[in-house]
């Protein structure tokens, strides 16, 4: 696929000024950075996953969709990544902590992916919406009451993080202590620092003990359902499924909720449109997900053969990162008028193709309920800092405000 009609032959290693992926996701205005890359390189630009570890960044809507949909050419299996196969990535590097191969649907394609995804889909489909809403209602009510009594709070750490972690603990059958530790380890894995690899190892150990305990004493939870599912051949695959559910739901829910709260607290025009009834809560949340995707970059796909994409020659074994944040902002598909954007479901925030998000029903229920409880209280709180002081977390894989300090008034 080409947007330019001409193919540039540029090897990733030959480019000496590749930007770091984390710097793009954490920029104050990432769309501006994406546009600068697009102006220089076209729809496919070279970046670094960490210093000295290059990848292609797919920026165009058509290119991102092509990478996500074409399993025959772009695989999720990192064993096909040239830098992994040739051992060019340090064993304990932050990149390997995120991209190392695991026994989960996330890291398989074809029949293996369909087998493992079936177990996830069946377990999620069996979760009653009433149970989810009840768990979220209880967590939101107790957390907000406690914060209001204190008079001030960080609505990221103490609400956008605390509530989803409590709900995940309930749905998976984890103790709250284990769920909170998994949160800490998940954040460390995504940090791009030396803490990433040890966190990945500890998370695997925690999951192994948790799954073994659930095997011995099954209950009415998602983990027990995954253990009982005939598609799983061993407990390593169940560990992979639980780890995938926790990490993906953790990252997406926290970022989606925290960014929605930021828009409501710091963007009066957005808040007025919602409070005035010009858009519904669902449409407001969809707008947040489209404009500031919780996961701005999806995990890389790896080219199985030499090919051409977005006017660039991609070599077999190259990593291609789908930048959904850039694709959603692509002028080729994005309407210029705010009124025309409502219900514009073109965006790729939740992926497309065989690996699209399987929690398409449960995730919006959680987010809608958490943000709904916040809306009922927002008139009684205000930001404790100027909106310009709100900075995003620094991570290549997730984007949301680092903190949202508020006062209750």
């Amino acid at each position: 696929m080409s947007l330019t009609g001409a193919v540039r032959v540029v090897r990733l290693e030959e480019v000496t000024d590749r930007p770091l992926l984390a710097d793009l996701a954490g920029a104050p205005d990432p769309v501006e950075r994406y546009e600068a890359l697009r102006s220089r390189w076209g729809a496919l630009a070279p970046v670094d996953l960490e210093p000295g570890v290059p990848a292609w960044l797919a920026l165009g809507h058509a290119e991102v969709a092509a990478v996500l949909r074409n399993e025959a050419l772009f695989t999720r299996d990192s064993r096909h990544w040239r830098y992994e196969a040739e051992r060019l990535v340090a064993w304990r590097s932050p990149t390997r902590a995120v991209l190392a191969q695991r026994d989960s649907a996330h890291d398989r394609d074809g029949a293996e992916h369909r087998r493992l995804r079936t177990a996830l889909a069946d377990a999620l489909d069996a979760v009653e919406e009433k149970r989810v809403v009840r768990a979220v209602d209880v967590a939101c009510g107790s957390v907000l009451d406690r914060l209001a009594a204190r008079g001030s709070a960080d609505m990221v750490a103490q609400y956008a993080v605390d509530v989803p972690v409590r709900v995940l603990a309930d749905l998976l059958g984890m103790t709250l202590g284990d769920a909170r530790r998994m949160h800490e380890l998940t954040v460390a894995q995504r940090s791009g620092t030396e803490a990433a690899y040890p966190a990945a190892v500890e998370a695997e150990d925690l999951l192994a003990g948790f799954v073994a305990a659930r095997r011995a004493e099954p209950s009415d939870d998602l983990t027990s359902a995954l253990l009982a599912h005939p598609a799983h051949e061993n407990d390593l695959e169940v560990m992979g499924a639980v780890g995938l559910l926790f990490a993906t739901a953790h990252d997406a829910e926290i970022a989606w909720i925290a960014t929605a709260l930021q828009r409501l607290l710091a963007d009066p025009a957005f808040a007025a449109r919602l409070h005035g009834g010009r858009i519904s809560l669902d449409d407001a949340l969809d707008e947040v997900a489209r404009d500031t995707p919780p996961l701005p970059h999806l995990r890389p796909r790896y080219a199985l053969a030499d090919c051409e994409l977005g006017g660039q020659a991609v070599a077999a074994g190259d990593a291609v990162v789908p930048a959904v944040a850039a694709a959603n902002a692509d002028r080729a598909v994005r309407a210029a008028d705010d009124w025309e954007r409502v219900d514009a479901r073109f965006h790729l925030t939740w992926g497309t193709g065989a690996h699209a998000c399987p929690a398409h029903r449960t995730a919006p229920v959680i987010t809608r309920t958490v943000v709904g409880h916040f809306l009922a209280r927002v008139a009684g709180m205000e930001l404790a800092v100027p909106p310009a002081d709100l900075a995003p977390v620094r991570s290549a894989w997730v984007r949301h405000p680092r903190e949202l300090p508020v006062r209750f008034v």
Side-chain angles (χ1 to χ4, degrees):
M1 179 180 298
S2 174
L3 299 184
T4 63
V7 178
R8 308 183 193 186
V9 181
V10 180
R11 284 185 62 83
L12 283 169
E13 292 82 359
E14 294 172 357
V15 182
T16 58
D17 57 345
R18 301 181 301 259
L20 273 174
L21 193 59
D23 289 344
L24 296 176
D29 186 356
V31 173
E32 184 178 303
R33 297 287 302 276
Y34 295 136
E35 284 303 314
L37 284 174
R38 199 192 307 266
S39 296
R40 178 179 177 185
W41 296 101
L44 207 67
V47 295
D48 266 358
L49 301 176
E50 64 179 62
V53 181
W56 293 108
L57 187 67
L59 299 164
H61 188 277
E63 286 70 25
V64 170
V67 171
L68 295 178
R69 290 172 180 155
N70 192 342
E71 279 188 278
L73 188 54
F74 296 102
T75 179
R76 291 287 286 264
D77 191 334
S78 62
R79 290 171 295 188
H80 293 277
W81 182 24
R82 180 161 50 89
Y83 270 64
E84 177 73 4
E86 297 176 8
R87 303 188 185 281
L88 299 175
V89 184
W91 181 255
R92 298 172 64 87
S93 80
T95 297
R96 285 201 84 257
V98 175
L99 304 185
Q101 184 68 199
R102 292 176 173 86
D103 292 303
S104 76
H106 180 281
D107 299 294
R108 297 287 187 272
D109 293 303
E112 279 291 277
H113 167 72
R114 289 189 291 274
R115 174 176 68 83
L116 295 170
R117 185 182 171 96
T118 295
L120 281 172
D122 289 348
L124 288 167
D125 286 345
V127 176
E128 293 184 3
E129 186 171 313
K130 288 189 295 184
R131 174 181 175 177
V132 176
V133 172
R134 184 169 63 248
V136 178
D137 282 339
V138 170
C140 288
S142 63
V143 169
L144 285 171
D145 286 344
R146 185 175 71 251
L147 297 180
R150 292 179 179 176
S152 63
D154 172 9
M155 295 305 289
V156 174
Q158 294 174 290
Y159 188 64
V161 171
D162 193 24
V163 171
V165 168
R166 288 171 181 266
V167 173
L168 282 170
D170 179 80
L171 294 179
L172 290 169
M174 279 187 176
T175 66
L176 186 54
D178 278 352
R180 284 176 169 160
R181 185 56 184 158
M182 279 294 293
H183 156 68
E184 294 167 354
L185 296 171
T186 302
V187 171
Q189 280 182 261
R190 309 288 191 269
S191 67
T193 68
E194 292 182 355
Y197 188 82
V201 173
E202 185 180 339
E204 289 292 309
D205 290 343
L206 193 157
L207 287 170
F210 168 63
V211 168
R214 267 289 166 263
R215 169 72 74 186
E217 296 184 28
S219 185
D220 179 24
D221 53 57
L222 274 170
T223 305
S224 298
L226 291 166
L227 279 162
H229 199 284
H232 282 137
E233 295 179 352
N234 53 59
D235 283 5
L236 286 176
E237 292 182 349
V238 178
M239 283 172 54
V242 175
L244 176 60
L245 274 176
F246 188 97
T248 305
H250 170 279
D251 289 353
E253 287 293 348
I254 289 171
W256 195 8
I257 292 166
T259 304
L261 302 191
Q262 179 183 17
R263 288 286 299 274
L264 287 166
L265 287 165
D267 185 346
F270 176 80
R273 287 166 60 213
L274 179 56
H275 291 305
R278 288 172 57 190
I279 55 174
S280 67
L281 178 55
D282 283 335
D283 282 333
L285 292 174
D286 190 64
E287 180 178 322
V288 170
R290 179 187 66 232
D291 292 350
T292 313
L295 314 179
H297 308 127
L298 302 183
R299 305 300 164 72
R301 269 59 168 178
Y302 308 97
L304 293 171
D306 293 347
C307 60
E308 181 270 326
L309 182 72
Q312 296 284 8
V314 177
D318 280 356
V320 181
V321 177
V324 294
N328 288 356
D330 190 341
R331 294 171 185 170
V333 294
R334 178 163 180 152
D337 190 322
D338 278 345
W339 283 97
E340 295 177 8
R341 294 181 192 176
V342 174
D343 279 335
R345 306 294 177 176
F346 66 81
H347 64 77
L348 297 171
T349 296
W350 310 118
T352 185
H355 285 275
C357 177
H360 55 84
R361 180 177 62 87
T362 308
V365 169
I366 295 173
T367 305
R368 186 192 315 124
T369 309
V370 174
V371 176
H373 277 273
F374 173 83
L375 281 171
R377 308 275 191 118
V378 70
M381 65 180 80
E382 62 183 13
L383 271 177
V385 298
D389 289 352
L390 299 174
V393 296
R394 190 179 185 280
S395 170
W397 311 110
V398 65
R399 180 181 171 90
H400 61 79
R402 186 182 301 118
E403 57 182 7
L404 281 173
V406 300
R407 289 185 293 263
F408 287 83
V409 296

